[in-house]
């Protein structure tokens, strides 16, 4: 019932799939800047290569984001959960730290993507 | 019965059966709750048709099933996804069968994978986001597994249902 070509095809697809999976997990390029959005609106974009502290003030909430050595971390948040503060630092494109209660989202972006997003929007 | 009449009648019955399978599939709660990951039991009918009638009829049955199932169950966008997956997979399966190198299981396996690939291409076009392809490995493996399962079932059906065994032509 099973032929030789079946097994070859199976192995080819399997290897292809595993290679793709591997690529997906390692692909994230080093980001070049950080987008901070509040309630979905862009709050500001910051250079990832420059060490800095960003303070996000909105109505009654405060979040502090630290950029250091090309890595981003949420250092302070006055939200209840504190999940965002415990989130480990991020540095690769499309990695995100989200503070749901304060609706603050930090996303690492690569250089070319800024342009792309503008076009697609 | 003439070839034409018999294949037409069989096609109609199979199209109806495929439609019922689409319905049953929509009713089964998903084992893995991810969009696009499903067993694809309706494709069982298409593969049986491909082997017991011919490519032309299997293709038509597939199109009829997708259009009607789209109108009845999954809506316009669901129909669009299924159409892309269905057309791509039936063409690939037809070609692989023609080479005579592959068994029904291998053909079905390729069909399962290309079905998901077709859906993903349409999804990426609609969403205009190439990142959709990060989702491809999951769909690829699920297509591989379900394709093999469906292929084994189709093999059993083709060998045991006597009215399908005596080919129409």
């Amino acid at each position: 019932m099973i032929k030789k070509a079946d097994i070859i095809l199976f192995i080819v697809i399997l290897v292809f799939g595993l290679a793709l999976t591997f690529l997906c997990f390692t692909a994230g390029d080093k980001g070049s800047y950080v987008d901070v959005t509040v309630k979905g609106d862009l709050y500001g974009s910051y250079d990832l290569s420059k060490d800095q502290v960003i303070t996000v003030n909105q109505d009654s909430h405060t979040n502090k984001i630290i950029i250091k050595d090309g890595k981003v971390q949420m250092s302070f948040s006055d939200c209840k959960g504190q999940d965002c503060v415990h989130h480990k630092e991020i540095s690769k494109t499309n990695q995100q730290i989200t503070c749901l209660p304060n609706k603050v989202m930090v996303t690492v972006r690569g250089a070319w993507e800024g342009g792309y997003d503008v076009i697609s929007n | 019965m003439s070839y034409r009449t018999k294949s037409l009648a069989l096609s109609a019955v199979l199209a109806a059966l495929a439609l019922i399978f689409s319905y049953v599939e929509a009713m089964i709660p998903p084992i893995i709750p991810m969009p696009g990951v499903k067993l694809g039991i309706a494709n069982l009918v298409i593969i049986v048709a491909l082997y017991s009638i011919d490519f032309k009829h299997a293709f038509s049955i597939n199109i009829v099933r997708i259009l009607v199932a789209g109108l009845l169950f999954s809506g316009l966008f669901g129909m669009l996804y299924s159409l892309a997956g269905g057309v791509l997979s039936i063409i690939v399966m037809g070609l692989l069968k023609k080479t005579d190198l592959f068994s029904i299981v291998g053909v079905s396996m390729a069909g399962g994978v290309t079905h998901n690939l077709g859906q993903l291409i349409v999804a990426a076009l609609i969403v205009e986001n190439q990142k959709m392809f990060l989702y491809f490995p999951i769909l690829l493996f699920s297509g591989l597994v379900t394709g093999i399962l469906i292929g084994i079932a189709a093999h059993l059906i083709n060998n045991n249902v006597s009215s399908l065994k005596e080919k129409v032509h």
Side-chain angles (χ1 to χ4, degrees):
Chain A
M1 162 185 157
I2 305 275
K3 291 186 183 172
K4 212 166 125 191
D6 293 335
I7 296 163
I8 294 169
L9 183 66
F10 176 77
I11 292 169
V12 167
I13 296 175
L14 199 69
V15 169
F16 185 65
L18 287 175
L20 269 177
T21 314
F22 180 73
L23 269 179
C24 285
F25 279 110
T26 53
D29 301 316
K30 222 171 154 26
S32 61
Y33 69 96
V34 181
D35 271 348
V36 178
T37 60
V38 177
K39 287 180 186 148
D41 298 322
L42 192 65
Y43 183 85
S45 295
Y46 306 91
D47 196 343
L48 194 58
S49 56
K50 232 184 275 170
D51 290 359
Q52 53 190 312
V53 179
I54 305 150
T55 311
V56 182
N57 283 313
Q58 44 155 337
D59 306 331
S60 52
H61 295 301
T62 310
N63 287 68
K64 269 191 187 142
I65 299 151
I66 288 185
I67 301 179
K68 205 183 169 214
D69 301 330
K71 285 171 183 163
V72 192
Q73 206 179 356
M74 186 85 77
S75 62
F76 172 80
S77 170
D78 59 1
C79 63
K80 254 191 183 159
Q82 295 290 306
D83 284 333
C84 52
V85 178
H86 294 139
H87 196 289
K88 72 177 191 32
E89 48 191 21
I90 56 173
S91 61
K92 288 181 172 160
T93 48
N94 295 317
Q95 284 186 317
Q96 274 182 340
I97 298 176
T98 310
C99 178
L100 271 182
N102 292 3
K103 300 193 177 68
V104 174
M105 214 158 85
V106 183
T107 314
V108 178
R109 299 278 185 203
W112 59 276
E113 275 182 348
Y116 177 83
D117 281 351
V118 170
I119 293 165
S120 68
N121 285 337
Chain B
M1 251 197 291
S2 75
Y3 164 66
R4 212 180 126 79
T5 317
K6 190 170 178 186
S7 57
L8 190 65
L10 190 54
S11 298
V13 172
L14 288 178
L17 186 63
L19 204 58
I20 292 168
F21 278 179
S22 293
Y23 178 63
V24 170
E25 176 115 62
M27 297 200 35
I28 301 173
I31 307 162
I32 302 166
M34 279 184 182
V37 179
K38 54 179 187 178
L39 200 48
I41 35 180
N43 288 328
L44 179 59
V45 180
I46 308 304
I47 292 164
V48 169
L50 182 65
Y51 273 80
S52 60
I53 317 174
D54 59 12
F55 173 76
K56 248 174 27 194
H57 286 84
F59 190 88
S60 322
I61 293 168
N62 204 10
I63 298 288
V64 168
R65 170 190 76 86
I66 290 164
L67 291 182
V68 179
L71 289 174
L72 287 176
F73 317 122
S74 53
L76 193 66
F77 272 109
M79 194 204 288
L80 216 56
Y81 292 132
S82 309
L83 207 57
V87 169
L88 188 65
S89 73
I90 185 75
I91 288 173
V92 168
M93 288 195 294
L95 288 175
L96 286 191
K97 181 178 175 270
K98 227 175 175 180
T99 63
D100 249 344
L101 286 170
F102 300 91
S103 75
I104 193 166
V105 178
V107 169
S108 168
M109 179 176 74
V113 174
T114 48
H115 188 274
N116 286 352
L117 176 64
Q119 288 192 322
L120 201 68
I121 290 171
V122 169
L125 285 177
I126 290 176
V127 186
E128 282 189 41
N129 188 348
Q130 282 73 21
K131 296 247 167 48
M132 285 291 295
F133 281 98
L134 292 181
Y135 196 55
F136 185 51
I138 299 165
L139 288 181
L140 185 138
F141 287 122
S142 89
L144 194 66
V145 174
T146 57
I148 290 170
L149 293 177
I150 295 292
I152 293 169
H155 174 78
L156 294 175
I157 290 171
N158 264 0
N159 279 355
N160 292 303
V161 180
S162 54
S163 56
L164 288 174
K165 224 168 169 182
E166 40 176 288
K167 288 206 165 186
V168 216
H169 30 90

Coordinates of all heavy atoms in Angstrom, one line a residue, chain B residues 91-155:
Chain B
I91 N -5.4 19.8 -7.7 CA -4.5 19.8 -8.8 C -3.2 19.0 -8.5 O -2.8 18.2 -9.2 CB -4.2 21.2 -9.2 CG1 -5.4 21.9 -9.9 CG2 -3.0 21.3 -10.2 CD1 -5.3 23.3 -10.2
V92 N -2.7 19.3 -7.3 CA -1.5 18.6 -6.9 C -1.7 17.1 -6.8 O -1.0 16.2 -7.2 CB -0.9 19.1 -5.5 CG1 0.1 18.2 -4.9 CG2 -0.4 20.5 -5.7
M93 N -2.9 16.7 -6.2 CA -3.2 15.3 -6.0 C -3.4 14.6 -7.4 O -2.9 13.5 -7.6 CB -4.5 15.1 -5.2 CG -4.2 15.4 -3.7 SD -5.6 14.8 -2.6 CE -6.9 15.8 -3.1
G94 N -4.0 15.4 -8.3 CA -4.2 14.8 -9.7 C -2.9 14.6 -10.3 O -2.7 13.5 -11.0
L95 N -2.0 15.5 -10.2 CA -0.7 15.4 -10.8 C 0.1 14.2 -10.2 O 0.7 13.4 -10.9 CB 0.1 16.7 -10.7 CG -0.4 17.9 -11.6 CD1 0.4 19.1 -11.2 CD2 -0.3 17.5 -13.0
L96 N 0.1 14.2 -8.9 CA 0.9 13.1 -8.2 C 0.3 11.7 -8.6 O 1.1 10.8 -8.8 CB 0.8 13.3 -6.7 CG 1.7 14.4 -6.1 CD1 1.7 14.3 -4.6 CD2 3.1 14.4 -6.7
K97 N -1.0 11.6 -8.7 CA -1.6 10.4 -9.0 C -1.2 10.0 -10.4 O -0.9 8.8 -10.7 CB -3.1 10.5 -9.0 CG -3.8 9.2 -9.3 CD -5.3 9.3 -9.2 CE -6.0 8.0 -9.6 NZ -6.3 8.0 -11.0
K98 N -1.1 11.0 -11.3 CA -0.7 10.7 -12.7 C 0.7 10.1 -12.8 O 0.9 9.3 -13.8 CB -0.8 12.0 -13.5 CG -1.5 11.9 -14.8 CD -1.7 13.2 -15.5 CE -2.3 13.0 -16.9 NZ -2.5 14.3 -17.6
T99 N 1.6 10.5 -11.9 CA 2.9 10.0 -12.0 C 3.0 8.5 -11.7 O 3.9 7.8 -12.1 CB 3.9 10.7 -11.0 OG1 3.4 10.4 -9.7 CG2 3.9 12.2 -11.2
D100 N 2.0 8.0 -11.0 CA 1.9 6.6 -10.7 C 3.0 6.1 -9.7 O 3.2 5.0 -9.5 CB 1.9 5.7 -11.9 CG 0.6 5.0 -12.1 OD1 -0.2 5.0 -11.2 OD2 0.4 4.5 -13.3
L101 N 3.7 7.1 -9.1 CA 4.8 6.8 -8.2 C 4.2 6.6 -6.8 O 4.8 5.9 -5.9 CB 5.8 7.9 -8.2 CG 6.8 7.9 -9.4 CD1 7.6 9.2 -9.4 CD2 7.6 6.7 -9.4
F102 N 3.1 7.3 -6.5 CA 2.7 7.4 -5.1 C 1.4 6.6 -4.9 O 0.6 6.3 -5.8 CB 2.3 8.9 -4.8 CG 3.5 9.8 -5.0 CD1 3.7 10.5 -6.2 CD2 4.4 10.0 -3.9 CE1 4.8 11.3 -6.3 CE2 5.4 10.9 -4.1 CZ 5.7 11.5 -5.3
S103 N 1.3 6.1 -3.6 CA 0.1 5.4 -3.3 C -1.0 6.4 -2.9 O -0.7 7.6 -2.8 CB 0.4 4.5 -2.1 OG 0.5 5.2 -0.9
I104 N -2.1 5.9 -2.6 CA -3.3 6.8 -2.3 C -2.9 7.6 -1.0 O -3.3 8.8 -0.8 CB -4.6 6.0 -2.1 CG1 -5.8 7.0 -2.1 CG2 -4.6 5.1 -0.9 CD1 -7.1 6.2 -2.3
V105 N -2.2 7.0 -0.1 CA -1.8 7.7 1.2 C -0.9 8.8 0.9 O -1.0 9.9 1.4 CB -1.1 6.7 2.2 CG1 -0.7 7.4 3.4 CG2 -2.1 5.6 2.5
G106 N 0.1 8.6 0.0 CA 1.1 9.7 -0.3 C 0.4 10.8 -1.0 O 0.6 12.0 -0.8
V107 N -0.6 10.5 -1.9 CA -1.3 11.5 -2.7 C -2.1 12.3 -1.7 O -2.2 13.6 -1.7 CB -2.2 10.9 -3.7 CG1 -3.2 11.9 -4.3 CG2 -1.4 10.3 -4.9
S108 N -2.8 11.6 -0.8 CA -3.6 12.3 0.2 C -2.8 13.2 1.1 O -3.2 14.3 1.5 CB -4.4 11.3 1.0 OG -5.0 11.9 2.1
M109 N -1.6 12.7 1.5 CA -0.7 13.5 2.4 C -0.3 14.8 1.7 O -0.4 15.9 2.3 CB 0.5 12.6 2.6 CG 1.6 13.2 3.5 SD 2.9 12.0 3.7 CE 3.7 12.0 2.1
A110 N 0.1 14.7 0.4 CA 0.4 15.9 -0.3 C -0.8 16.8 -0.4 O -0.7 18.1 -0.3 CB 0.9 15.5 -1.7
G111 N -2.0 16.2 -0.6 CA -3.2 17.0 -0.7 C -3.5 17.8 0.6 O -3.8 19.0 0.6
G112 N -3.3 17.1 1.7 CA -3.5 17.8 3.0 C -2.6 19.0 3.2 O -3.0 20.0 3.6
V113 N -1.3 18.8 2.9 CA -0.4 19.9 3.0 C -0.6 21.0 2.1 O -0.7 22.2 2.5 CB 1.1 19.3 2.8 CG1 2.1 20.5 2.9 CG2 1.4 18.3 3.9
T114 N -0.9 20.7 0.8 CA -1.1 21.8 -0.2 C -2.5 22.5 0.1 O -2.6 23.7 -0.2 CB -1.1 21.3 -1.6 OG1 -1.9 20.1 -1.7 CG2 0.3 21.0 -2.0
H115 N -3.4 21.8 0.6 CA -4.7 22.4 1.0 C -4.5 23.5 2.0 O -5.0 24.6 1.8 CB -5.7 21.4 1.6 CG -7.0 21.9 1.8 ND1 -7.4 22.5 2.9 CD2 -8.1 21.8 1.0 CE1 -8.7 22.9 2.8 NE2 -9.1 22.5 1.7
N116 N -3.7 23.2 3.0 CA -3.4 24.2 4.0 C -2.5 25.4 3.4 O -2.7 26.5 3.8 CB -2.7 23.6 5.2 CG -3.7 22.8 6.1 OD1 -4.9 22.8 5.8 ND2 -3.1 22.1 7.0
L117 N -1.6 25.0 2.5 CA -0.8 26.0 1.9 C -1.6 27.0 1.1 O -1.5 28.2 1.2 CB 0.2 25.3 1.0 CG 1.2 26.3 0.2 CD1 2.0 27.1 1.1 CD2 2.0 25.5 -0.8
G118 N -2.6 26.5 0.3 CA -3.5 27.3 -0.5 C -4.2 28.3 0.4 O -4.4 29.5 0.1
Q119 N -4.8 27.8 1.5 CA -5.5 28.6 2.4 C -4.7 29.7 3.0 O -5.1 30.9 3.1 CB -6.1 27.8 3.6 CG -7.2 26.9 3.2 CD -7.9 26.3 4.4 OE1 -7.3 26.0 5.3 NE2 -9.2 26.2 4.3
L120 N -3.5 29.4 3.3 CA -2.6 30.3 3.9 C -2.2 31.4 2.9 O -2.1 32.6 3.3 CB -1.3 29.6 4.4 CG -0.6 30.4 5.5 CD1 -1.4 30.5 6.7 CD2 0.8 29.8 5.8
I121 N -2.0 31.1 1.7 CA -1.6 32.1 0.6 C -2.8 33.1 0.5 O -2.5 34.3 0.5 CB -1.4 31.4 -0.7 CG1 -0.1 30.6 -0.7 CG2 -1.3 32.4 -1.8 CD1 0.2 29.7 -1.9
V122 N -4.0 32.6 0.5 CA -5.1 33.5 0.4 C -5.2 34.4 1.7 O -5.4 35.6 1.6 CB -6.4 32.8 0.2 CG1 -7.6 33.7 0.4 CG2 -6.5 32.2 -1.2
A123 N -5.0 33.8 2.8 CA -5.1 34.5 4.1 C -4.0 35.6 4.1 O -4.3 36.8 4.5 CB -4.8 33.6 5.3
A124 N -2.8 35.3 3.6 CA -1.7 36.3 3.6 C -2.1 37.4 2.6 O -1.7 38.6 2.9 CB -0.4 35.6 3.2
L125 N -2.7 37.1 1.5 CA -3.1 38.1 0.5 C -4.2 39.0 1.1 O -4.1 40.2 0.9 CB -3.6 37.4 -0.8 CG -2.6 36.8 -1.7 CD1 -3.3 36.2 -2.9 CD2 -1.6 37.9 -2.2
I126 N -5.1 38.4 1.8 CA -6.3 39.2 2.3 C -5.8 40.1 3.5 O -6.1 41.3 3.5 CB -7.4 38.3 2.8 CG1 -8.1 37.6 1.6 CG2 -8.4 39.1 3.7 CD1 -9.1 36.6 2.0
V127 N -5.0 39.5 4.4 CA -4.5 40.3 5.5 C -3.3 41.2 5.1 O -3.0 42.1 5.8 CB -4.1 39.3 6.7 CG1 -3.7 40.1 7.9 CG2 -5.2 38.4 7.0
E128 N -2.8 40.9 3.9 CA -1.6 41.7 3.4 C -0.5 41.7 4.4 O 0.1 42.7 4.8 CB -2.0 43.1 3.1 CG -2.7 43.3 1.8 CD -2.9 44.7 1.4 OE1 -2.0 45.5 1.6 OE2 -4.0 45.0 0.9
N129 N -0.2 40.5 5.0 CA 0.8 40.4 6.0 C 1.6 39.1 5.8 O 1.0 38.1 6.0 CB 0.2 40.5 7.4 CG 1.3 40.6 8.4 OD1 2.4 40.4 8.2 ND2 0.8 40.9 9.6
Q130 N 2.8 39.3 5.3 CA 3.6 38.0 5.0 C 3.9 37.3 6.3 O 4.3 36.1 6.3 CB 4.9 38.4 4.3 CG 4.7 38.7 2.9 CD 4.1 40.0 2.6 OE1 4.1 40.9 3.5 NE2 3.5 40.2 1.4
K131 N 3.7 37.9 7.5 CA 4.0 37.3 8.7 C 3.1 36.0 8.9 O 3.4 35.2 9.7 CB 3.8 38.2 9.9 CG 4.7 39.4 9.9 CD 5.7 39.3 11.0 CE 6.9 40.3 10.8 NZ 6.4 41.6 10.3
M132 N 2.0 36.0 8.2 CA 1.1 34.9 8.3 C 1.8 33.6 8.1 O 1.4 32.6 8.6 CB 0.0 35.0 7.2 CG -1.1 36.0 7.5 SD -2.1 35.6 8.8 CE -2.9 34.1 8.1
F133 N 2.9 33.7 7.3 CA 3.6 32.4 7.0 C 4.4 31.9 8.2 O 4.8 30.7 8.1 CB 4.6 32.7 5.8 CG 3.8 32.7 4.5 CD1 3.5 33.9 3.9 CD2 3.5 31.5 3.9 CE1 2.8 33.9 2.7 CE2 2.8 31.5 2.7 CZ 2.4 32.7 2.1
L134 N 4.5 32.6 9.2 CA 5.0 32.1 10.5 C 4.1 31.0 11.0 O 4.5 30.1 11.7 CB 5.2 33.2 11.5 CG 6.2 34.2 11.2 CD1 6.3 35.2 12.4 CD2 7.6 33.6 11.0
Y135 N 2.9 31.0 10.5 CA 1.9 30.1 11.0 C 2.0 28.8 10.1 O 1.4 27.8 10.5 CB 0.5 30.7 10.8 CG -0.6 30.1 11.5 CD1 -0.5 29.8 12.9 CD2 -1.7 29.7 10.8 CE1 -1.6 29.2 13.5 CE2 -2.8 29.1 11.5 CZ -2.7 28.8 12.8 OH -3.7 28.2 13.5
F136 N 2.7 28.8 9.1 CA 2.7 27.7 8.1 C 3.2 26.4 8.7 O 2.6 25.4 8.4 CB 3.5 28.1 6.9 CG 3.5 27.1 5.8 CD1 2.3 26.5 5.4 CD2 4.7 26.6 5.2 CE1 2.2 25.6 4.4 CE2 4.6 25.6 4.3 CZ 3.4 25.1 3.8
P137 N 4.3 26.4 9.5 CA 4.7 25.1 10.1 C 3.6 24.3 10.8 O 3.5 23.1 10.6 CB 5.8 25.5 11.0 CG 6.4 26.8 10.5 CD 5.2 27.5 9.9
I138 N 2.8 25.0 11.6 CA 1.7 24.3 12.3 C 0.8 23.7 11.3 O 0.4 22.5 11.4 CB 1.0 25.3 13.1 CG1 1.9 26.0 14.2 CG2 -0.2 24.7 13.8 CD1 1.4 27.2 14.8
L139 N 0.4 24.5 10.2 CA -0.5 24.0 9.2 C 0.1 22.9 8.4 O -0.6 22.0 8.0 CB -1.0 25.2 8.3 CG -1.9 26.2 9.0 CD1 -2.3 27.2 8.0 CD2 -3.2 25.5 9.5
L140 N 1.4 23.0 8.2 CA 2.1 22.0 7.4 C 2.0 20.6 8.1 O 1.7 19.6 7.5 CB 3.5 22.4 7.2 CG 4.4 21.5 6.3 CD1 5.2 22.4 5.3 CD2 5.3 20.6 7.0
F141 N 2.4 20.6 9.4 CA 2.3 19.4 10.1 C 0.9 18.8 10.3 O 0.7 17.6 10.2 CB 3.0 19.6 11.5 CG 4.5 19.7 11.4 CD1 5.1 20.8 11.9 CD2 5.2 18.7 10.8 CE1 6.5 21.0 11.8 CE2 6.6 18.9 10.7 CZ 7.3 20.0 11.2
S142 N 0.0 19.7 10.6 CA -1.4 19.2 10.7 C -1.9 18.7 9.4 O -2.6 17.7 9.4 CB -2.3 20.4 11.2 OG -2.9 21.1 10.2
G143 N -1.5 19.3 8.3 CA -1.9 18.8 7.0 C -1.3 17.5 6.7 O -1.9 16.6 6.1
L144 N -0.1 17.3 7.1 CA 0.7 16.1 6.9 C 0.0 14.9 7.6 O -0.3 13.9 7.1 CB 2.1 16.2 7.5 CG 3.1 15.2 7.1 CD1 3.4 15.3 5.6 CD2 4.4 15.4 7.9
V145 N -0.4 15.1 8.9 CA -1.0 14.1 9.7 C -2.4 13.8 9.2 O -2.7 12.6 9.0 CB -1.0 14.5 11.2 CG1 -1.8 13.5 12.0 CG2 0.4 14.7 11.7
T146 N -3.2 14.8 9.1 CA -4.6 14.5 8.6 C -4.6 13.9 7.2 O -5.4 13.1 7.0 CB -5.4 15.8 8.7 OG1 -4.8 16.8 7.8 CG2 -5.6 16.4 10.1
G147 N -3.7 14.4 6.4 CA -3.6 13.8 5.0 C -3.3 12.4 5.0 O -4.0 11.6 4.3
I148 N -2.4 11.9 5.9 CA -2.1 10.5 6.0 C -3.3 9.7 6.5 O -3.7 8.7 6.0 CB -0.9 10.3 6.9 CG1 0.4 10.8 6.2 CG2 -0.7 8.8 7.3 CD1 1.6 10.9 7.1
L149 N -4.0 10.3 7.6 CA -5.1 9.6 8.1 C -6.2 9.4 7.1 O -6.8 8.3 6.9 CB -5.7 10.3 9.4 CG -4.7 10.4 10.6 CD1 -5.3 11.2 11.7 CD2 -4.5 9.0 11.1
I150 N -6.5 10.5 6.4 CA -7.5 10.5 5.4 C -7.1 9.5 4.2 O -8.0 8.8 3.7 CB -7.8 11.9 4.8 CG1 -8.3 12.9 5.9 CG2 -8.7 11.9 3.6 CD1 -9.7 12.5 6.3
G151 N -5.9 9.5 3.9 CA -5.4 8.6 2.9 C -5.6 7.2 3.2 O -6.0 6.4 2.4
I152 N -5.3 6.8 4.5 CA -5.5 5.4 4.9 C -7.0 5.1 4.9 O -7.4 4.0 4.4 CB -5.0 5.2 6.4 CG1 -3.4 5.4 6.4 CG2 -5.4 3.9 6.9 CD1 -2.8 5.5 7.7
A153 N -7.8 6.0 5.3 CA -9.3 5.8 5.2 C -9.7 5.6 3.8 O -10.5 4.7 3.5 CB -10.0 6.9 5.9
A154 N -9.2 6.4 2.9 CA -9.6 6.3 1.5 C -9.1 5.0 0.9 O -9.9 4.4 0.1 CB -9.0 7.5 0.7
H155 N -8.0 4.6 1.3 CA -7.4 3.3 0.8 C -8.4 2.1 1.2 O -8.7 1.3 0.4 CB -6.0 3.1 1.4 CG -5.5 1.7 1.1 ND1 -4.9 1.4 -0.1 CD2 -5.4 0.6 1.9 CE1 -4.5 0.2 -0.1 NE2 -4.8 -0.4 1.1

